[in-house]
Amino acid sequence: MNNSEDTTGQEHWKIPGDFQGHALPGSFLIFLSLWWNSVNILKYICKKQKQVYLYSKVWIHRAELLDGVILTGMVLFGAISLQIYAISGSQLMWVLRLHHTIIYTFYGILGVTKILSATINSFPASLTKLALSNAFLVQTFIMYNHTHGRFTMDVFLHKILALATFSAGLVSFMEILIKNNITLELMRASLIILQGTWLWQIGFVLYNPTGGFEWDLTDHRNNMFITIYFCWHYAFAYIIIGVNYAVITWLVKWRLRKLGFSQVPLLKTIVQEEESEEM
Amino acid sequence: MNNSEDTTGQEHWKIPGDFQGHALPGSFLIFLSLWWNSVNILKYICKKQKQVYLYSKVWIHRAELLDGVILTGMVLFGAISLQIYAISGSQLMWVLRLHHTIIYTFYGILGVTKILSATINSFPASLTKLALSNAFLVQTFIMYNHTHGRFTMDVFLHKILALATFSAGLVSFMEILIKNNITLELMRASLIILQGTWLWQIGFVLYNPTGGFEWDLTDHRNNMFITIYFCWHYAFAYIIIGVNYAVITWLVKWRLRKLGFSQVPLLKTIVQEEESEEM
Amino acid sequence: MNNSEDTTGQEHWKIPGDFQGHALPGSFLIFLSLWWNSVNILKYICKKQKQVYLYSKVWIHRAELLDGVILTGMVLFGAISLQIYAISGSQLMWVLRLHHTIIYTFYGILGVTKILSATINSFPASLTKLALSNAFLVQTFIMYNHTHGRFTMDVFLHKILALATFSAGLVSFMEILIKNNITLELMRASLIILQGTWLWQIGFVLYNPTGGFEWDLTDHRNNMFITIYFCWHYAFAYIIIGVNYAVITWLVKWRLRKLGFSQVPLLKTIVQEEESEEM
Amino acid sequence: MNNSEDTTGQEHWKIPGDFQGHALPGSFLIFLSLWWNSVNILKYICKKQKQVYLYSKVWIHRAELLDGVILTGMVLFGAISLQIYAISGSQLMWVLRLHHTIIYTFYGILGVTKILSATINSFPASLTKLALSNAFLVQTFIMYNHTHGRFTMDVFLHKILALATFSAGLVSFMEILIKNNITLELMRASLIILQGTWLWQIGFVLYNPTGGFEWDLTDHRNNMFITIYFCWHYAFAYIIIGVNYAVITWLVKWRLRKLGFSQVPLLKTIVQEEESEEM
């Protein structure tokens, strides 16, 4: 299932594409990841304080419904603008557009599943996780079979995007089995941000909108630079999630202090350490 | 373990085969998947209502026994018709027929295990899951070593069938460790339907019975179309399972209402949300 | 990490070897697998009958100690006879002998761990599972890097042996995390028997002691036959384990009946079904 | 994502490098592994004796804080000396230095996470495991894309280092989900020691400081020797961990006897066996 026939002297071509087609889904993913991450952190902190949790349940439920609606809206917007603006003409471009349409379709299924899960009773809650995992794994499958006949660097850029989507799919799948684990949720969030920023990176490398530096897409050595960029993106995503966690924790504590709830000390003492570990 | 030597200029040949040989096991798999899926959903819904469960246990037990008998019958029918109708002559065709016979053998072992599990006491219940997982993984192994010397597209069609069987095998294996998880059961069902419809697809692509469109099996670019078809099949399987779930839920509720059992409201309220999540 | 350079026109050679060097460890593995399997089944059945378990504990403990001693003895015998009888001369043969010596070393570590685990208190019980998993995974690593410059079929024979050892290593690793799961134990037993019989098969294909049929080791198509043989071996291993399970269950029941213990009915009734499933 | 184009007749070059650049991080890893391993074993033994655990908690907490500080210090020292002493000049050397800098960065993130986890309250404890897993997996990713255009043996040496880091990353990831499992902790420790000693081995093979034996880096057959060395390293790491476990257990028992705590017998009796197994 390897489409990059470098060794057989086949012809390669530069795929006509556009920067916006990568930046738009990239922005969607970054937005969604921060949204989901914030809700997850809020839930985690509130659950630690039982009385607050009962109070915040209504808001979390509404957030989940809104989440599904926004996601479906995004997918519709992305899929329709893809049909209108995507460069067409050759049969190859038509196939590539279909590839993207399928990815949007599976995110659409995720959106519908989220809405159903938030409204219908007796709906197994982990089905949204299954739909999420499916969306990522189908995207990986598409990415892996998407780059037939392209230049070395183009193939490599999409292969490591597939690495990110595969990891996100795997973590989502684990969340079907292990529920409400904050570490898995944080990891998933960082992997989705990584996908989003990496889509921006692909847009900049292949179709630089500023018309600046032009990469030599046939040079194998450039892959070693791309490796570095990918790790920087991941470190960046990791730090964003960390800052988000810190800000939300601080906001909740500040709000609780104003409302007069019993306060948890910030610095760890030895007795509490054990509890948090057992959780 | 890669048998498709595209790069070494080896000879390729078109395997003589027939449409029926793919359509028959495909239909078997679709039928079995819907059957298992329906029983699983019924069990899941009934377990939520304790009193109904005790009442329906006898039926579920009988369904499991019947399941094993039907499966064994199917396997015998498939294996025997393979021996009678399969095109023979060359040594290669003989090897390929043996490959299919082995796959039928492992499904046969599954059938026997199911019958034993339903009749004999002190039989570990998860052995049927092990036999199921084995059947899928052995099929993957065969598929992967099945396409020596064939055309690019023929290889690709069988490789992504192997992807579906491997995923189904993996999910079945997980079910040995994590029992009665409805999400895993739904996922397995959708992967088995995917296998079934994909077998039909392979039949149509390689041995079109209507004599219509003829694919160029040597063109690498066709693999990108096949990728799209595979995802459509999966989306289709996913929706079939969803509709099946909805229909069965509605039927059970309708029947319970008639029998006067205490009724569960359809739309989710916030208090119930938490419970279903913890389950 | 692929050592079979078929495409680059490198030279290949037939490795001088002997039938005994494959048959001996094969027999050891088959013996050990049946031994471990029988102990596991005995433990499983006895645990279901609490009073019998307390009675049989002493015997199971002694079996574990004996197990370690026998395993260490086997390893010493195998390793020493390897040093004495292995064909030497070239540097390559020396390297290949070292490869086998390492495999014996890791099985030796397993034997020592078993003895320590059975004698020393406060020894984590799952360390024997770790040593077992290590032995299989190191063997996989060796097998994978063992066949440089050999003929196609020779490479394939060792690669699918590596598949069996890898699967056995994976299942053993899972047993570190999920303890006393009879299905995993049965699966591991069948995979070890598969290894043992496959070693016999390798011996027969490469160094046929009867001087009979000679395989053409350079023909890719033979790999499709070998695939069939491998599946037959697995089906055979599966059935052996099944028969072993049936015989031991019957023996225990017969012994208990004679000793006058309360008897469990053989055929399943609907009330009991649920319990065994929850276990 | 395979950078070793042996088949396409591309040019290869010997990378200028130094022995110290491999020995320094190797020593760091060996030190850290032994440190973490000793703390883990201490925790495991103390937990078995409840009264001792409460007494030792303060010390374990301090060890964790110190751990983070030392790790961060090591990373800073390594990264700075890399910037100063690394051979530069060509663009390739600059890329390779960046690769190493990224690895240090992720270990630095681990250090900071450890300090935060030991000081700040309401910090999810398993985040340090996530950072550890990330550090290893990012290192694997870098290693895998690090050896473009190098000699066969150089590539192989780094690929099996990547195997060790990947395994360590996987085990660390499992520790997010399964907490306080001594077997996983011992396994992780042995894999980190393996990495450390293997870095020394790479240094000796590629840039022998004693100016002794010079390896022919282009000979495929040398990979079979390297395979043997790698297994010896692993067996060595395994034994080191075993000796460490024995020494610490003996020291704790000796100390407890002097302090007059209730003593656990060394040799296993049959009644105790069952308990340790269930744990």
Side-chain angles (χ1 to χ4, degrees):
Chain A
M1 282 199 275
N2 187 357
N3 294 310
S4 59
E5 285 86 357
D6 298 294
T7 52
T8 51
Q10 276 202 334
E11 43 174 350
H12 295 277
W13 55 84
K14 175 120 205 265
I15 302 295
D18 51 359
F19 178 72
Q20 290 78 11
H22 288 89
L24 187 75
S27 311
F28 283 171
L29 282 169
I30 295 170
F31 171 78
L32 281 173
S33 174
L34 287 175
W35 169 283
W36 292 340
N37 185 233
S38 306
V39 171
N40 282 333
I41 296 171
L42 259 176
K43 245 176 152 175
Y44 176 72
I45 298 171
C46 291
K47 257 192 187 160
K48 282 205 160 175
Q49 302 218 321
K50 283 269 165 91
Q51 57 214 115
V52 186
Y53 186 52
L54 295 165
Y55 178 79
S56 63
K57 232 164 164 180
V58 185
W59 294 100
I60 287 170
H61 177 71
R62 281 182 203 162
E64 276 170 2
L65 185 56
L66 189 61
D67 176 9
V69 174
I70 287 175
L71 178 59
T72 314
M74 275 176 173
V75 166
L76 282 177
F77 181 76
I80 290 167
S81 61
L82 177 75
Q83 306 309 322
I84 296 171
Y85 293 108
I87 300 146
S88 63
S90 70
Q91 198 203 31
L92 180 74
M93 293 316 294
W94 180 64
V95 173
L96 293 181
R97 199 165 70 189
L98 273 176
H99 277 182
H100 290 106
T101 309
I102 285 171
I103 298 175
Y104 277 117
T105 308
F106 274 85
Y107 280 102
I109 290 176
L110 170 64
V112 171
T113 311
K114 283 207 168 224
I115 294 174
L116 291 177
S117 167
T119 50
I120 291 174
N121 193 12
S122 91
F123 197 89
S126 55
L127 270 193
T128 58
K129 289 287 184 301
L130 178 60
L132 186 62
S133 171
N134 269 344
F136 288 136
L137 293 178
V138 166
Q139 193 182 346
T140 308
F141 179 68
I142 295 275
M143 280 300 134
Y144 203 73
N145 292 292
H146 185 58
T147 53
H148 173 67
R150 301 211 195 168
F151 290 120
T152 313
M153 244 185 86
D154 197 345
V155 171
F156 189 69
L157 281 166
H158 282 90
K159 283 250 164 95
I160 54 181
L161 178 60
L163 187 68
T165 55
F166 182 70
S167 311
L170 221 64
V171 173
S172 308
F173 185 79
M174 277 177 194
E175 285 184 83
I176 297 174
L177 309 175
I178 298 150
K179 275 153 202 156
N180 299 321
N181 182 314
I182 186 71
T183 313
L184 284 184
E185 283 165 352
L186 292 178
M187 195 179 186
R188 172 161 56 87
S190 70
L191 286 167
I192 301 175
I193 286 187
L194 175 64
Q195 277 180 54
T197 59
W198 193 248
L199 276 168
W200 276 83
Q201 179 74 57
I202 292 180
F204 268 108
V205 171
L206 296 183
Y207 320 104
N208 197 333
T210 64
F213 179 72
E214 189 89 26
W215 290 80
D216 177 8
L217 297 181
T218 58
D219 191 352
H220 276 82
R221 266 165 298 179
N222 278 334
N223 290 353
M224 297 178 87
F225 277 100
I226 293 300
T227 305
I228 296 169
Y229 281 20
F230 190 68
C231 293
W232 277 343
H233 278 257
Y234 190 49
F236 172 77
Y238 199 85
I239 288 163
I240 289 281
I241 297 296
V243 169
N244 197 24
Y245 188 87
V247 167
I248 291 174
T249 312
W250 185 83
L251 272 176
V252 168
K253 280 193 197 304
W254 175 78
R255 183 108 185 102
L256 289 183
R257 216 175 313 149
K258 267 189 66 180
L259 290 169
F261 276 98
S262 66
Q263 201 183 330
V264 181
L266 188 71
L267 287 184
K268 209 170 218 170
T269 60
I270 289 140
V271 180
Q272 285 163 338
E273 176 205 19
E274 195 51 21
E275 294 168 37
S276 65
E277 205 169 287
E278 304 289 314
M279 222 168 82
Chain B
M1 281 201 276
N2 187 356
N3 293 312
S4 59
E5 287 86 357
D6 299 293
T7 53
T8 50
Q10 277 202 332
E11 43 175 349
H12 295 278
W13 55 84
K14 173 120 206 263
I15 303 295
D18 51 358
F19 178 72
Q20 289 78 10
H22 288 89
L24 187 75
S27 310
F28 283 171
L29 283 169
I30 294 171
F31 171 77
L32 280 173
S33 174
L34 286 175
W35 169 283
W36 292 340
N37 185 233
S38 305
V39 172
N40 283 333
I41 295 171
L42 260 176
K43 243 176 156 175
Y44 176 73
I45 298 171
C46 292
K47 256 192 188 158
K48 282 204 159 174
Q49 301 217 321
K50 283 269 164 92
Q51 60 216 112
V52 186
Y53 186 52
L54 295 166
Y55 178 79
S56 62
K57 233 165 162 178
V58 186
W59 294 100
I60 288 170
H61 177 70
R62 281 183 201 161
E64 276 170 3
L65 185 56
L66 189 63
D67 176 12
V69 174
I70 288 176
L71 179 59
T72 314
M74 275 177 173
V75 166
L76 283 177
F77 181 76
I80 290 167
S81 60
L82 178 75
Q83 307 307 323
I84 297 171
Y85 293 107
I87 300 145
S88 62
S90 71
Q91 196 202 34
L92 181 73
M93 292 319 293
W94 179 64
V95 173
L96 293 181
R97 200 165 70 188
L98 273 175
H99 277 184
H100 290 105
T101 309
I102 285 170
I103 296 176
Y104 277 116
T105 308
F106 274 86
Y107 280 101
I109 290 176
L110 170 64
V112 172
T113 311
K114 282 206 169 224
I115 293 172
L116 290 177
S117 168
T119 50
I120 290 174
N121 193 13
S122 90
F123 196 89
S126 55
L127 270 193
T128 57
K129 289 288 183 299
L130 179 59
L132 185 62
S133 169
N134 270 344
F136 288 136
L137 293 178
V138 165
Q139 193 182 347
T140 309
F141 179 68
I142 296 275
M143 281 299 134
Y144 203 75
N145 293 291
H146 185 57
T147 54
H148 173 68
R150 301 212 195 166
F151 290 120
T152 314
M153 244 184 87
D154 197 347
V155 171
F156 189 69
L157 282 166
H158 283 90
K159 284 251 163 98
I160 55 183
L161 178 61
L163 186 68
T165 54
F166 181 71
S167 310
L170 220 65
V171 172
S172 309
F173 185 79
M174 276 178 196
E175 285 184 82
I176 298 175
L177 310 175
I178 297 150
K179 275 154 202 155
N180 299 321
N181 182 315
I182 186 72
T183 312
L184 285 183
E185 284 165 352
L186 291 178
M187 195 178 184
R188 172 162 55 88
S190 69
L191 286 166
I192 301 175
I193 286 188
L194 174 64
Q195 278 179 55
T197 59
W198 194 247
L199 277 167
W200 276 83
Q201 179 75 56
I202 292 179
F204 268 108
V205 170
L206 297 183
Y207 320 104
N208 198 333
T210 64
F213 179 72
E214 189 88 27
W215 291 79
D216 176 8
L217 297 180
T218 57
D219 191 352
H220 276 81
R221 265 165 299 179
N222 278 334
N223 290 353
M224 297 177 86
F225 277 100
I226 293 301
T227 306
I228 295 168
Y229 282 19
F230 190 67
C231 293
W232 277 343
H233 278 256
Y234 190 48
F236 172 77
Y238 198 86
I239 288 163
I240 289 282
I241 296 297
V243 169
N244 198 23
Y245 188 87
V247 167
I248 290 174
T249 313
W250 185 83
L251 273 176
V252 168
K253 279 192 197 308
W254 174 79
R255 184 111 184 101
L256 289 184
R257 215 175 315 150
K258 268 188 65 182
L259 290 169
F261 277 99
S262 66
Q263 200 184 330
V264 182
L266 188 72
L267 288 184
K268 209 171 219 171
T269 59
I270 289 142
V271 180
Q272 286 163 337
E273 176 205 19
E274 195 50 22
E275 293 166 37
S276 66
E277 206 169 289
E278 303 291 314
M279 221 169 82
Chain C
M1 281 200 279
N2 187 356
N3 293 312
S4 59
E5 285 87 358
D6 299 292
T7 54
T8 50
Q10 277 202 334
E11 44 175 346
H12 295 277
W13 56 84
K14 175 121 206 265
I15 303 295
D18 52 358
F19 177 73
Q20 291 77 11
H22 288 89
L24 187 75
S27 311
F28 283 172
L29 282 169
I30 294 169
F31 171 78
L32 279 173
S33 174
L34 286 175
W35 170 283
W36 292 340
N37 185 234
S38 306
V39 171
N40 283 332
I41 295 170
L42 260 176
K43 241 177 157 176
Y44 175 73
I45 298 169
C46 292
K47 257 193 187 158
K48 282 204 160 174
Q49 301 216 323
K50 283 269 163 92
Q51 60 218 110
V52 185
Y53 186 52
L54 295 165
Y55 178 79
S56 63
K57 235 164 159 178
V58 185
W59 294 100
I60 287 171
H61 177 70
R62 280 182 203 162
E64 276 169 3
L65 185 56
L66 189 62
D67 176 11
V69 174
I70 288 176
L71 178 58
T72 315
M74 276 178 173
V75 167
L76 282 177
F77 181 76
I80 289 166
S81 62
L82 177 75
Q83 307 308 323
I84 296 170
Y85 293 108
I87 299 145
S88 62
S90 70
Q91 196 202 33
L92 180 74
M93 293 317 293
W94 179 65
V95 172
L96 293 181
R97 199 166 68 191
L98 273 177
H99 277 183
H100 290 105
T101 310
I102 284 171
I103 297 175
Y104 276 117
T105 308
F106 274 85
Y107 280 101
I109 290 176
L110 170 64
V112 172
T113 310
K114 281 205 171 228
I115 293 173
L116 290 178
S117 167
T119 49
I120 290 174
N121 192 15
S122 90
F123 196 87
S126 54
L127 271 193
T128 58
K129 289 286 182 303
L130 179 59
L132 184 63
S133 170
N134 270 344
F136 289 135
L137 293 178
V138 165
Q139 194 183 345
T140 309
F141 179 69
I142 296 275
M143 280 300 135
Y144 204 75
N145 293 290
H146 185 56
T147 54
H148 173 68
R150 302 212 194 164
F151 290 119
T152 314
M153 246 185 84
D154 197 347
V155 170
F156 189 70
L157 282 166
H158 282 90
K159 284 250 162 97
I160 55 183
L161 179 61
L163 188 68
T165 54
F166 181 71
S167 309
L170 220 65
V171 173
S172 309
F173 185 80
M174 276 177 197
E175 285 185 82
I176 298 175
L177 309 175
I178 297 149
K179 276 154 202 154
N180 299 321
N181 183 315
I182 185 71
T183 313
L184 285 183
E185 284 166 351
L186 292 178
M187 195 179 184
R188 172 160 57 85
S190 70
L191 286 166
I192 302 175
I193 286 188
L194 174 63
Q195 279 179 55
T197 59
W198 194 248
L199 277 166
W200 276 84
Q201 179 74 58
I202 292 178
F204 268 107
V205 171
L206 297 183
Y207 321 104
N208 197 332
T210 66
F213 179 72
E214 189 88 26
W215 291 79
D216 176 7
L217 298 179
T218 58
D219 191 352
H220 277 81
R221 266 165 299 179
N222 279 334
N223 290 354
M224 296 177 86
F225 278 99
I226 294 300
T227 304
I228 295 169
Y229 282 17
F230 191 68
C231 293
W232 277 343
H233 278 257
Y234 190 48
F236 173 77
Y238 199 86
I239 288 162
I240 289 282
I241 296 296
V243 170
N244 198 24
Y245 188 88
V247 168
I248 291 175
T249 311
W250 185 83
L251 273 176
V252 168
K253 280 192 197 309
W254 174 80
R255 184 111 186 98
L256 289 184
R257 217 175 315 149
K258 267 188 64 182
L259 291 170
F261 277 98
S262 65
Q263 201 184 331
V264 181
L266 187 71
L267 288 184
K268 208 170 219 168
T269 58
I270 288 139
V271 181
Q272 286 163 337
E273 175 205 20
E274 195 51 21
E275 292 166 38
S276 65
E277 205 169 287
E278 306 289 316
M279 221 170 83
Chain D
M1 281 201 279
N2 187 357
N3 294 311
S4 59
E5 284 87 358
D6 298 293
T7 54
T8 51
Q10 276 202 335
E11 43 174 348
H12 294 276
W13 55 86
K14 174 120 207 265
I15 302 296
D18 52 358
F19 178 72
Q20 291 78 9
H22 289 90
L24 186 74
S27 311
F28 283 171
L29 282 169
I30 295 170
F31 171 78
L32 280 173
S33 174
L34 287 175
W35 169 282
W36 293 340
N37 186 234
S38 306
V39 171
N40 282 333
I41 295 170
L42 259 177
K43 243 177 155 174
Y44 176 72
I45 298 170
C46 292
K47 258 194 186 156
K48 282 204 159 172
Q49 302 217 320
K50 281 270 163 90
Q51 59 216 112
V52 187
Y53 186 54
L54 295 165
Y55 178 77
S56 63
K57 232 162 160 181
V58 185
W59 294 99
I60 287 171
H61 178 72
R62 279 181 204 163
E64 276 170 2
L65 185 56
L66 189 62
D67 176 10
V69 174
I70 287 175
L71 178 59
T72 315
M74 275 177 174
V75 167
L76 283 176
F77 181 75
I80 289 167
S81 61
L82 177 76
Q83 306 308 323
I84 296 171
Y85 292 108
I87 299 146
S88 62
S90 70
Q91 197 203 30
L92 181 74
M93 292 318 292
W94 179 63
V95 172
L96 293 180
R97 199 165 70 189
L98 273 176
H99 277 181
H100 291 105
T101 310
I102 285 171
I103 297 175
Y104 277 117
T105 307
F106 274 85
Y107 280 101
I109 290 176
L110 170 63
V112 171
T113 310
K114 282 208 169 225
I115 294 174
L116 291 177
S117 168
T119 50
I120 289 175
N121 192 14
S122 90
F123 196 90
S126 55
L127 270 193
T128 58
K129 288 286 182 303
L130 178 59
L132 185 63
S133 171
N134 270 343
F136 288 136
L137 293 178
V138 166
Q139 194 183 345
T140 309
F141 179 69
I142 295 275
M143 279 301 135
Y144 204 74
N145 293 291
H146 185 57
T147 53
H148 174 67
R150 302 213 195 165
F151 289 121
T152 313
M153 245 185 84
D154 197 347
V155 170
F156 189 70
L157 282 166
H158 282 90
K159 284 249 162 96
I160 54 183
L161 178 60
L163 189 67
T165 55
F166 182 71
S167 310
L170 221 63
V171 173
S172 309
F173 185 79
M174 276 176 196
E175 285 184 84
I176 297 175
L177 309 175
I178 298 149
K179 276 153 203 156
N180 300 319
N181 183 315
I182 186 72
T183 313
L184 284 184
E185 283 165 352
L186 292 178
M187 194 180 185
R188 174 160 55 86
S190 70
L191 286 167
I192 302 176
I193 286 187
L194 174 63
Q195 278 179 56
T197 58
W198 194 248
L199 277 166
W200 276 84
Q201 179 74 57
I202 291 179
F204 268 108
V205 170
L206 296 184
Y207 320 104
N208 197 332
T210 64
F213 180 71
E214 188 88 27
W215 291 79
D216 177 8
L217 298 180
T218 58
D219 191 353
H220 276 82
R221 268 165 298 179
N222 278 334
N223 290 353
M224 296 177 87
F225 278 100
I226 293 299
T227 304
I228 295 169
Y229 282 18
F230 191 67
C231 293
W232 277 343
H233 278 257
Y234 190 49
F236 173 76
Y238 198 86
I239 288 162
I240 289 282
I241 296 296
V243 170
N244 197 25
Y245 188 88
V247 167
I248 290 174
T249 312
W250 185 83
L251 272 176
V252 168
K253 280 193 198 305
W254 174 79
R255 184 108 186 99
L256 289 183
R257 216 175 314 149
K258 268 189 61 180
L259 289 169
F261 276 99
S262 66
Q263 200 183 330
V264 182
L266 188 70
L267 287 184
K268 209 171 218 170
T269 60
I270 289 141
V271 182
Q272 286 163 337
E273 176 205 20
E274 195 52 20
E275 293 167 36
S276 66
E277 205 170 287
E278 305 289 315
M279 221 170 81

